[in-house]
Amino acid sequence: MLILNRRRFLQAGSLASASLFVPKFLKALENSTHAMVPPGNKVLVVIQLSGGNDGLNTVIPYRNDIYYKLRPSLGIQREKALSLTDETGLHPAMVGMKALYDDGGMGILQNVGYPNPDRSHFRSMDIWQSASNSADYWGNGWIGRYLDAQCQSVQALEIDDTLSLAMKGEVQKGLAFNDPGRLSSGINAGLYKDLLYQHKDEEPNVDYLYKTLGSTLSSASYIQKQFKTYDTKETYPSTHLGKSLRTISKLIMSDISTKVYYVSHGSFDTHVNQQAQQQNLFKQLDDAITVFTRDLKSNNRFQDVVVMTFSEFGRRVAQNASNGTDHGTANNMFLIGGGLKQQGLLNDGPDLLNLKDGDLQYKVDFKRVYATLLNKWLGADDKTILKHNYDYLSFI
């Protein structure tokens, strides 16, 4: 009988897997009596630009002749770029983000990377998500370790079917789902409840699994309930990113006090015919962020949220023979929010005279960005979480 029920438990599918990603402290939030999270609850939203976004055609050095020499057909002309300064422009699809920049709601950090860069998608993404050095292999992520350190008061949610390495701690993990309503409807199936009540006193490892499942049942039902407490008046794009940021907005306005949200957008792996693909992806990014930030502002929450974008690497400086770009190194990051202390271009642009094997050389270690956000925004012990001391930046 025990073997049969173990099989039934394993057949529970995605929920059984998701149960291993549930923060144990989430259930405790059910006793909250507040209607909405009060202003002042700081939130970090991470947007991963998967595939390696081309930073040079994102933040464009349109006064640099080398840029056009190495990109004769791929370089974006100055008259098409959205002017930021006399020397730098933004991709023409980013109209809404340009308005955020002009209004003091966005900072752009350039030349971000890490020592001894790896040009493999999988390895470089692991480095960014774990916050390790390029020679180290860590099995947990920087946000997950944040959960380990702050597990009594915070949580992290990823809008996806699977949980990223970034969200997995040594003990605690975030919760991954695409739709709160869909998550709860799967959990309410009788199979899960039968398993929970029939075998709560069996051998320790089985008992642990059933107790974890019970926590998942309660947590998901709570998320669904709180998800309904706020209904945005904004019309979000019907894209995956638009729907994801709508979900995040509704949860930010609810009572679950989540501190970190994580979502992916892409693929930006533009080896062939880059211009059309990047234009489309940037249009989706711009549309979603424009509505999201407008929603936050109308609810007086823009000052409590920081949006951070990153990609696992940039692209090579020279275009390839297929009107695309190949895997590179250093890149830029966008930081968006009403609580930024510095806005605009936060540092100098890339040095196209000082390339290494045809690639940009990084000047800012991305782990300094993490340390700054962990310490100054989320109030966490970044040195313990990142396992190293990193100098803080000044944007927060």
Side-chain angles (χ1 to χ4, degrees):
M1 184 66 177
L2 179 58
I3 293 175
L4 175 61
N5 285 312
R6 277 179 175 166
R7 287 176 180 169
R8 292 180 69 198
F9 184 82
L10 292 174
Q11 289 170 351
S14 61
L15 175 63
S17 298
S19 70
L20 301 179
F21 301 150
V22 175
K24 296 177 182 177
F25 48 84
L26 183 57
K27 186 170 181 282
L29 294 174
E30 294 180 23
N31 296 323
S32 176
T33 58
H34 300 292
M36 291 181 65
V37 173
N41 181 58
K42 303 303 183 186
V43 173
L44 172 65
V45 178
V46 179
I47 301 179
Q48 173 182 301
L49 306 182
S50 304
N53 175 51
D54 177 27
L56 276 178
N57 273 22
T58 305
V59 183
I60 304 154
Y62 53 44
R63 286 286 297 272
N64 196 313
D65 293 338
I66 299 174
Y67 167 73
Y68 293 108
K69 179 180 179 180
L70 295 177
R71 298 186 171 202
S73 63
L74 195 61
I76 296 176
Q77 298 302 313
R78 179 174 182 177
E79 58 270 20
K80 294 182 179 180
L82 305 174
S83 180
L84 301 178
T85 69
D86 290 341
E87 298 183 350
T88 307
L90 200 60
H91 190 282
M94 295 180 165
V95 178
M97 295 173 71
K98 170 62 162 57
L100 282 171
Y101 178 97
D102 290 342
D103 290 342
M106 186 168 79
I108 303 174
L109 193 61
Q110 303 181 87
N111 307 304
V112 185
Y114 57 90
N116 303 311
D118 195 298
R119 292 172 181 80
S120 161
H121 288 294
F122 303 104
R123 178 61 191 140
S124 192
M125 186 61 80
D126 280 354
I127 291 169
W128 274 83
Q129 291 192 356
S130 65
S132 70
N133 294 318
S134 58
D136 297 328
Y137 289 78
W138 293 353
N140 49 66
W142 70 285
I143 298 172
R145 296 194 301 275
Y146 166 64
L147 294 179
D148 287 340
Q150 305 287 108
C151 64
Q152 296 303 314
S153 60
V154 299
Q155 57 193 292
L157 300 177
E158 181 165 5
I159 312 302
D160 205 337
D161 289 326
T162 58
L163 197 69
S164 300
L165 173 62
M167 303 283 278
K168 300 177 182 178
E170 295 180 5
V171 177
Q172 301 291 342
K173 295 177 176 65
L175 176 63
F177 59 86
N178 265 317
D179 181 356
R182 201 174 135 206
L183 176 69
S184 182
S185 64
I187 286 174
N188 287 332
L191 167 64
Y192 308 127
K193 293 183 178 180
D194 288 344
L195 289 171
L196 175 63
Y197 289 112
Q198 289 176 14
H199 305 285
K200 59 182 179 179
D201 297 321
E202 293 182 2
E203 59 184 274
N205 59 331
V206 177
D207 186 40
Y208 170 76
L209 290 176
Y210 289 126
K211 286 181 178 178
T212 305
L213 177 57
S215 177
T216 305
L217 291 167
S218 181
S219 298
S221 297
Y222 179 68
I223 289 174
Q224 188 206 34
K225 176 183 176 182
Q226 296 306 118
F227 182 71
K228 296 178 180 179
T229 61
Y230 170 75
D231 190 14
T232 177
K233 297 179 181 179
E234 299 290 343
T235 301
Y236 280 78
S238 60
T239 60
H240 172 71
L241 183 61
K243 293 176 180 177
S244 297
L245 289 185
R246 180 179 181 273
T247 296
I248 291 172
S249 172
K250 286 172 66 67
L251 291 171
I252 286 174
M253 306 305 173
S254 75
D255 192 32
I256 63 173
S257 300
T258 301
K259 302 293 287 187
V260 182
Y261 295 92
Y262 198 100
V263 64
S264 298
H265 178 55
S267 171
F268 286 86
D269 197 18
T270 51
H271 292 278
V272 179
N273 297 327
Q274 174 177 301
Q275 285 187 338
Q277 184 174 347
Q278 198 178 39
Q279 168 77 24
N280 181 52
L281 289 171
F282 279 162
K283 179 68 164 53
Q284 294 179 25
L285 177 69
D286 188 78
D287 287 348
I289 285 180
T290 299
V291 177
F292 179 63
T293 54
R294 187 166 65 232
D295 203 358
L296 293 175
K297 289 178 179 179
S298 66
N299 286 277
N300 195 33
R301 295 307 304 274
F302 187 54
Q303 70 275 9
D304 297 325
V305 178
V306 168
V307 178
M308 181 197 85
T309 73
F310 83 95
S311 198
E312 67 262 38
F313 46 63
R315 316 295 291 190
R316 295 183 71 81
V317 177
Q319 70 179 66
N320 60 28
S322 302
N323 283 319
T325 51
D326 298 323
H327 299 179
T329 54
N331 209 340
N332 43 54
M333 301 177 72
F334 292 113
L335 297 153
I336 298 169
L340 299 179
K341 292 183 177 179
Q342 291 182 327
Q343 306 85 20
L345 295 176
L346 302 179
N347 59 348
D348 293 336
D351 184 357
L352 300 187
L353 288 172
N354 187 26
L355 305 180
K356 184 176 182 180
D357 298 326
D359 281 323
L360 300 173
Q361 297 197 55
Y362 90 99
K363 296 179 182 178
V364 179
D365 194 318
F366 74 89
K367 295 181 286 295
R368 292 183 63 194
V369 181
Y370 291 179
T372 303
L373 289 168
L374 286 167
N375 181 275
K376 294 186 176 184
W377 190 247
L378 297 177
D381 181 1
D382 61 286
K383 296 174 179 60
T384 299
I385 295 167
L386 299 178
K387 307 180 185 182
H388 191 82
N389 293 341
Y390 294 100
D391 293 336
Y392 301 136
L393 298 168
S394 302
F395 63 86
I396 288 292

